Amino acid sequence: SRSCSCRLQHWTLLSVSLLNCLLSTACSVGLALAIALTVHSRGTHLVRGCNSSALPLDARGAIATNDCPFNTTRIYDTALALWIPSLLLAAAEAVLSGRSCLVALVFRGLGPCAHGYGTQQV
């Protein structure tokens, strides 16, 4: 854009990419923790809100009951099927945001690779 100064664009790119990198990293850590806890407990935390004694300890063998507000038959597999690709996408987003942050540092002449090979590569 010719209406804004290059300096403003570089600092905006740096701040937005740094913020996005931190948020994506936090999402990745949270999803990894959720996946680890779910696999470790075999899904019992997923059906904890249901107050039925008919629910088994393993969420994979759970049956749908009237005491539970959702269908518990496939909650374990569905949660993992949604969380694992989300974890991969959040990690990829964190990496790309980190690279954008490095590019912004190179543009401003800051950082370890500002006057070396990184400037030529950009």
Side-chain angles (χ1 to χ4, degrees):
S1 172
R2 295 178 195 262
S3 62
C4 294
S5 68
C6 286
R7 183 180 180 126
L8 177 65
Q9 289 176 354
H10 294 166
W11 285 111
T12 303
L13 174 65
L14 178 64
S15 60
V16 169
S17 62
L18 184 62
L19 179 66
N20 192 34
C21 183
L22 292 174
L23 289 174
S24 298
T25 303
C27 286
S28 298
V29 169
L31 281 168
L33 183 63
I35 290 171
L37 290 175
T38 301
V39 169
H40 178 69
S41 69
R42 297 184 53 105
T44 57
H45 295 290
L46 296 174
V47 293
R48 183 166 285 176
C50 301
N51 296 326
S52 175
S53 61
L55 290 173
L57 293 177
D58 187 5
R60 297 189 96 183
I63 56 171
T65 64
N66 292 334
D67 295 338
C68 198
F70 53 87
N71 185 359
T72 59
T73 55
R74 293 185 184 95
I75 191 168
Y76 181 79
D77 297 328
T78 303
L80 291 180
L82 292 174
W83 287 346
I84 291 173
S86 296
L87 172 66
L88 295 175
L89 290 173
E93 183 179 4
V95 168
L96 292 175
S97 296
R99 290 180 58 98
S100 296
C101 185
L102 286 176
V103 167
L105 287 173
V106 168
F107 282 159
R108 287 298 345 140
L110 304 171
C113 58
H115 299 290
Y117 177 72
T119 307
Q120 296 172 357
Q121 192 175 18
V122 171

